[in-house]
Amino acid sequence: MSKSSSKHPKADKPHADDGAPLDDRGKQRGAKHVPFPTKEQVLTFIRESEGPVGKREIARAFHLKGADRIPLKALLKELEKEGQVDRDRKQLAAAGQLPEVTVVQVIGPDADGDLWARPIDQRPDDAEPKIVIVDDKKIDRPLAAGDRVLVSLKQTDADVYEARAIRRLESRAQRVVGLFEKGKDGFGRLTPTDKRIKTEFSIHPQDIGSARTGDLVIVEAEPARRLGKPKARVVERIGRADEPRSISLISIAEHQIPFQFSPAALTQAKEAGPATLGKRTDLRQVPLVTIDGDDARDFDDAVFAEPDTDPKNEGGWRLLVAIADVAHYVRTGDALDKTARERGNSAYFPDRVVPMLPEELSNGWCSLKPNEDRPCMAVEIVVDANGTKLRHRFMRGLMRSQARLTYEQVQAAQDGRPSDFTRPLLEPILKPLYGAFRALLKSREARGTLDLDIPERRVFLGEDGHIERIVPRSRLDSHRLIEEFMIAANVAAAEALEKRHQPCMYRVHDKPDPVRIEALRQFIEGLGFKLARGQVIRPKHFTRLLEQAKGTPYEAMIHTLTLRSQMPAVYSPENLGHFGLALQRYAHFTSPIRRYSDLLVHRALITAYDFGEDGLPPDTAATFEATGQHISATERRAAAAERDAIDRYVAHFMSERVGENFDGRINGVARFGLFVTLNETGADGLLPVGTLPADFYDHDERSHALIGRRNGRAFQLGAPITVRLAAAQPLTGGLTFELVAGGSAHQDDRAVRRLVGEQRRSTPHRPAKLGPKRPKSVKSRGKGRKRR
């Protein structure tokens, strides 16, 4: 989107001769009859503004006065409640976007001398924003790790910001996880496990406690001083750094994931026992089976399918999805419920699970083990030959799983390679499942969903706890089968609660930000691709774009940019639909052992169908908004911890291969370097700009590239690259690369000329090839980076 002379682009609407803006029908909006803006118009104005805006600016842009300001206030509150916008003091910004002015905490300098920071009191997102402090001249002394600073922010790329310090604030104790070493002088030294913190901490002998050299500990860091290392005191010992099991513990501690259950919760779990049939529907004769990964630790869903015998539904199918009845064991407000809500979800690591519920339930009474009676919540779904749902029926039952199957076993049997175990199940159970799956796929294709292939890594550990190998997780039709069955059940749950006027914790995935879509559209058009313009954007439009790019040199780049243009999925009592799945309503119902959202949906269904006294209490709906925000945050917290643990395992694995060459792709571009993903292991690392061929490199945000000013050599997002592993830091999970081969002449040399021209205009008395003048104490923090 081209820049406007106005600070807020949306304010530059078509005008009549007297300067009054026109409404959507082309009529002049005078002082007497000013149409009140729709929610979509106000949201577009906020999203397209260059920074956060206040209510006064919005009212001025739409010519609202007097009594109109009251409904405007209500409309803005509604947008905030829906999660469409975030409020910072009296300013509003598009959801997920940081405000223009905010408080950050300094993490520390990187290898190039740049200061990194993280936002304070910012709701966690899928990825923590990258904030680089590029100007601290207004601060009386150099900033250091732990300092809290009021800064002004400028967004330079998705989740990347440049910060300029305004003033230092009173610092608070910083919680840091790290490796402890004791010196001969009795003082301790802490090396942080967070790869963004480059500062070591000094620990006075009286603050060491029981820590020993080689321990992983948690410290509270004091506010940084001008001279010397910052000081800290040990508050908790985690374990030994040389123990493989400590890798996951670091992530658990860093992200503050609760891993100990209260005595009351443990007692309650131990006292649990089998459920009786009572008023439940007896499903024990239905040949339900569970299909999970071979590393699954809990089994909370079972499936069955058969052809529909109704002659009016020729080619149709009858599905049954049975889910563990966790609500039978975990009641609202009891000890187990409190700990489940606090955790929000289970967290999965290569060597362990931090479960939402104690093992007696998660792997015991709530797990649908084969040949054991288990209470369940089930839904029968009837679909036609095209997968369109005709009707559904919920029940509370007692089931007995016929078999515990893995994805690989099921797929092998379907492909004509059954084992002795799966051969008897093939005709009566597995083939009907695949028949129903093919029908559901037709419905999915007709809806036009967004299918993004997001590769996952799987770490295999040996008996000693060390890594044996790292491989991409396979994606089989058996995975997709279970996914489609679960989606069908989730849709039925949301529809049922809506029809019966019960509160529902929806899983919502909002439409993409129009500003990001327009930026994506303009960029890909320069590459010869098209994205629908002038109509409501739908998932199928992105799918067509991905199909256009398939097999081209830009496939990986367009896939990455499409993914980054999407909004994060969250939990909310307000239904916004699910954009990616192209569904009007959607809720999570199928995994109550590991997700608190699903437990809430189960309780709502129990109340809706009068299945018992353990449903939702009457006043629970009032807490759904806060609960949705909380469990959305715990989900992101667990995902971040899991990623960090995988990174550390990978760094341990790669530490023996330092000096080797690897093929990969550029998955991120920043002014300080390139983020590279290796093809072989999926490992991610940094290729610093200082290791690139000698030139002065500018970060071209429009084309997502670093471009050399003299030779025009470009390193662009998604491009293939060959690197040498220069260093691996198992403690932090960091990998550092050096360039072996990659980079090419930029496809549009106008970008090179534009960048050079901008730099010359900004530094008229200094030749661009010399780059910005470097301070003696740290490396350059200017926009361009020179490789001498």
Side-chain angles (χ1 to χ4, degrees):
M1 184 179 71
S2 60
K3 288 188 177 181
S4 166
S5 59
S6 169
K7 180 179 179 182
H8 303 295
K10 188 64 179 179
D12 297 335
K13 299 172 72 68
H15 282 66
D17 292 339
D18 65 354
L22 304 177
D23 65 17
D24 294 335
R25 294 163 293 184
K27 295 181 180 180
Q28 185 173 336
R29 289 166 53 177
K32 293 183 179 179
H33 302 288
V34 179
F36 192 80
T38 65
K39 185 191 299 184
E40 289 73 21
Q41 288 173 328
V42 173
L43 182 59
T44 301
F45 172 73
I46 294 172
R47 283 174 170 168
E48 293 185 357
S49 298
E50 291 185 0
V53 294
K55 186 176 67 174
R56 180 178 300 176
E57 292 169 286
I58 297 172
R60 186 184 304 119
F62 290 98
H63 291 255
L64 302 179
K65 298 179 180 179
D68 282 338
R69 298 191 178 227
I70 297 176
L72 176 62
K73 183 177 181 181
L75 186 149
L76 295 177
K77 281 189 174 181
E78 187 176 349
L79 286 173
E80 187 179 0
K81 182 179 180 181
E82 292 173 354
Q84 300 268 26
V85 298
D86 291 334
R87 180 181 293 275
D88 181 66
R89 297 179 177 87
K90 295 183 179 181
Q91 299 283 299
L92 293 163
Q97 178 182 333
L98 295 181
E100 274 188 321
V101 177
T102 191
V103 178
V104 300
Q105 184 174 48
V106 177
I107 298 171
D110 64 9
D112 287 334
D114 285 324
L115 284 176
W116 287 68
R118 63 163 64 94
I120 290 178
D121 297 330
Q122 171 72 19
R123 289 186 302 181
D125 207 330
D126 284 353
E128 185 176 89
K130 301 176 178 68
I131 301 176
V132 182
I133 299 177
V134 296
D135 183 5
D136 58 1
K137 295 176 181 177
K138 294 184 179 180
I139 305 301
D140 56 347
R141 55 185 171 83
L143 295 172
D147 283 346
R148 297 170 70 248
V149 191
L150 181 68
V151 298
S152 62
L153 295 178
K154 177 187 176 184
Q155 189 169 9
T156 60
D157 203 348
D159 299 323
V160 179
Y161 296 82
E162 289 185 350
R164 283 176 166 74
I166 298 174
R167 66 174 180 271
R168 188 196 308 271
L169 303 177
E170 181 182 350
S171 298
R172 300 174 184 172
Q174 180 186 16
R175 178 187 169 98
V176 180
V177 180
L179 174 66
F180 175 83
E181 293 179 89
K182 190 173 182 179
K184 295 180 179 179
D185 57 359
F187 280 78
R189 182 182 68 183
L190 182 93
T191 303
T193 56
D194 188 333
K195 55 190 170 188
R196 296 164 301 183
I197 304 178
K198 307 299 181 182
T199 305
E200 291 186 344
F201 294 82
S202 175
I203 305 173
H204 193 278
Q206 66 184 22
D207 294 325
I208 289 175
S210 60
R212 298 174 295 152
T213 294
D215 281 351
L216 291 168
V217 299
I218 300 173
V219 303
E220 283 188 354
E222 298 178 5
R225 298 184 176 185
R226 184 167 185 174
L227 299 175
K229 294 180 182 178
K231 295 184 177 181
R233 66 183 185 89
V234 176
V235 295
E236 185 178 342
R237 179 179 175 272
I238 299 174
R240 297 290 298 173
D242 54 3
E243 295 175 356
R245 63 184 296 274
S246 295
I247 295 177
S248 294
L249 287 176
I250 293 172
S251 290
I252 292 169
E254 279 189 344
H255 294 275
Q256 301 182 46
I257 295 178
F259 64 94
Q260 292 181 329
F261 291 101
S262 68
L266 291 173
T267 299
Q268 185 181 341
K270 290 178 181 178
E271 292 175 350
T276 58
L277 181 61
K279 296 181 179 180
R280 294 175 180 271
T281 303
D282 194 344
L283 300 173
R284 288 175 290 184
Q285 300 307 311
V286 180
L288 288 153
V289 296
T290 63
I291 305 176
D292 296 277
D294 57 10
D295 58 344
R297 282 115 163 163
D298 47 51
F299 316 117
D300 47 15
D301 59 83
V303 293
F304 167 77
E306 64 181 0
D308 188 10
T309 56
D310 186 348
K312 297 180 180 179
N313 187 28
E314 185 177 352
W317 296 89
R318 172 179 169 265
L319 290 62
L320 187 65
V321 179
I323 307 298
D325 189 358
V326 177
H328 174 72
Y329 295 101
V330 183
R331 310 292 178 94
T332 301
D334 66 18
L336 284 172
D337 181 61
K338 291 177 181 178
T339 193
R341 186 188 185 281
E342 179 190 17
R343 298 178 181 217
N345 46 263
S346 299
Y348 295 84
F349 301 94
D351 63 336
R352 75 190 68 214
V353 175
V354 179
M356 187 179 79
L357 298 170
E359 192 171 328
E360 288 82 0
L361 293 181
S362 60
N363 292 353
W365 295 113
C366 290
S367 188
L368 305 181
K369 296 181 177 181
N371 303 314
E372 294 186 21
D373 289 357
R374 287 291 185 268
C376 67
M377 290 285 292
V379 59
E380 179 188 67
I381 303 172
V382 178
V383 300
D384 64 17
N386 293 317
T388 303
K389 182 168 68 68
L390 303 179
R391 61 185 178 275
H392 66 255
R393 177 172 67 97
F394 279 90
M395 61 197 85
R396 203 172 192 184
L398 191 69
M399 63 159 286
R400 177 182 283 255
S401 171
Q402 297 297 301
R404 180 270 197 264
L405 302 173
T406 68
Y407 293 115
E408 290 75 17
Q409 286 177 320
V410 171
Q411 191 62 51
Q414 175 65 14
D415 293 343
R417 296 177 283 106
S419 65
D420 291 341
F421 180 64
T422 58
R423 185 172 289 106
L425 305 175
L426 183 58
E427 292 297 331
I429 297 177
L430 299 185
K431 286 193 173 181
L433 286 174
Y434 273 89
F437 163 58
R438 284 190 288 270
L440 293 174
L441 270 187
K442 293 179 182 179
S443 176
R444 183 187 185 101
E445 292 168 0
R447 292 198 315 271
T449 60
L450 173 59
D451 296 319
L452 288 168
D453 182 20
I454 305 174
E456 296 183 31
R457 293 169 286 173
R458 183 176 176 186
V459 175
F460 285 88
L461 303 180
E463 293 183 0
D464 59 356
H466 290 92
I467 301 172
E468 287 186 344
R469 65 188 188 280
I470 301 171
V471 299
R473 283 190 180 271
S474 58
R475 176 73 169 164
L476 307 172
D477 275 351
S478 53
H479 290 93
R480 301 175 69 198
L481 183 156
I482 291 300
E483 180 180 304
E484 291 304 319
F485 272 66
M486 298 304 108
I487 289 173
N490 289 336
V491 170
E495 291 180 352
L497 293 177
E498 199 169 291
K499 184 176 181 180
R500 291 178 177 252
H501 306 290
Q502 288 294 318
C504 179
M505 186 61 74
Y506 293 97
R507 179 66 167 180
V508 300
H509 181 217
D510 202 2
K511 297 181 289 295
D513 184 344
V515 176
R516 289 191 178 187
I517 297 304
E518 184 57 30
L520 173 63
R521 181 183 288 115
Q522 292 182 9
F523 175 65
I524 63 173
E525 285 178 352
L527 303 178
F529 300 96
K530 292 183 179 180
L531 184 62
R533 184 188 292 275
Q535 56 181 297
V536 176
I537 196 76
R538 300 190 186 280
K540 62 184 180 183
H541 296 140
F542 289 106
T543 300
R544 289 173 188 163
L545 172 62
L546 295 174
E547 290 172 353
Q548 292 175 43
K550 195 169 185 179
T552 72
Y554 307 109
E555 179 179 1
M557 175 173 57
I558 290 179
H559 184 280
T560 300
L561 292 175
T562 300
L563 176 62
R564 292 179 181 177
S565 71
Q566 305 302 307
M567 299 292 283
V570 296
Y571 295 105
S572 171
E574 300 294 330
N575 182 24
L576 302 177
H578 198 292
F579 179 81
L581 294 175
L583 293 168
Q584 294 182 351
R585 54 191 63 82
Y586 191 67
H588 276 165
F589 158 76
T590 54
S591 298
I593 292 178
R594 61 185 180 90
R595 291 191 304 230
Y596 192 72
S597 59
D598 303 49
L599 177 55
L600 292 176
V601 170
H602 277 227
R603 289 172 179 165
L605 288 168
I606 291 169
T607 299
Y609 288 92
D610 196 22
F611 283 152
E613 301 298 321
D614 44 1
L616 283 180
D619 59 345
T620 307
T623 66
F624 262 38
E625 182 179 354
T627 300
Q629 293 177 359
H630 170 71
I631 59 180
S632 297
T634 60
E635 177 188 43
R636 293 188 290 265
R637 176 181 67 184
E642 291 164 1
R643 285 195 301 267
D644 286 353
I646 292 291
D647 286 346
R648 289 190 174 91
Y649 273 108
V650 170
H652 271 270
F653 182 69
M654 299 291 287
S655 62
E656 298 178 358
R657 304 181 67 179
V658 171
E660 293 186 28
N661 294 350
F662 300 91
D663 292 328
R665 285 193 177 273
I666 299 171
N667 74 359
V669 180
R671 49 187 292 280
F672 48 83
L674 307 171
F675 295 98
V676 176
T677 299
L678 304 185
N679 298 339
E680 179 184 336
T681 61
D684 296 307
L686 177 66
L687 177 62
V689 69
T691 66
L692 298 180
D695 202 342
F696 203 114
Y697 290 88
D698 287 291
H699 179 204
D700 183 13
E701 299 163 16
R702 300 182 194 180
S703 61
H704 305 274
L706 284 179
I707 304 175
R709 291 185 189 171
R710 289 197 298 268
N711 57 29
R713 190 170 183 178
F715 297 87
Q716 193 166 37
L717 181 71
I721 194 168
T722 302
V723 296
R724 179 177 297 107
L725 180 60
Q729 299 292 336
L731 185 66
T732 64
L735 300 178
T736 305
F737 301 127
E738 296 173 346
L739 181 67
V740 175
S744 60
H746 197 266
Q747 90 246 342
D748 182 4
D749 62 2
R750 290 174 299 177
V752 181
R753 294 197 298 268
R754 171 173 50 78
L755 287 168
V756 174
E758 289 176 355
Q759 179 66 18
R760 285 176 175 168
R761 286 192 296 273
S762 64
T763 55
H765 302 298
R766 190 186 311 132
K769 65 179 183 179
L770 295 179
K773 188 176 180 180
R774 293 171 179 258
K776 294 181 179 180
S777 56
V778 297
K779 294 188 178 181
S780 169
R781 294 178 189 168
K783 187 173 181 62
R785 281 303 181 90
K786 186 175 182 182
R787 170 68 177 107
R788 296 185 184 275

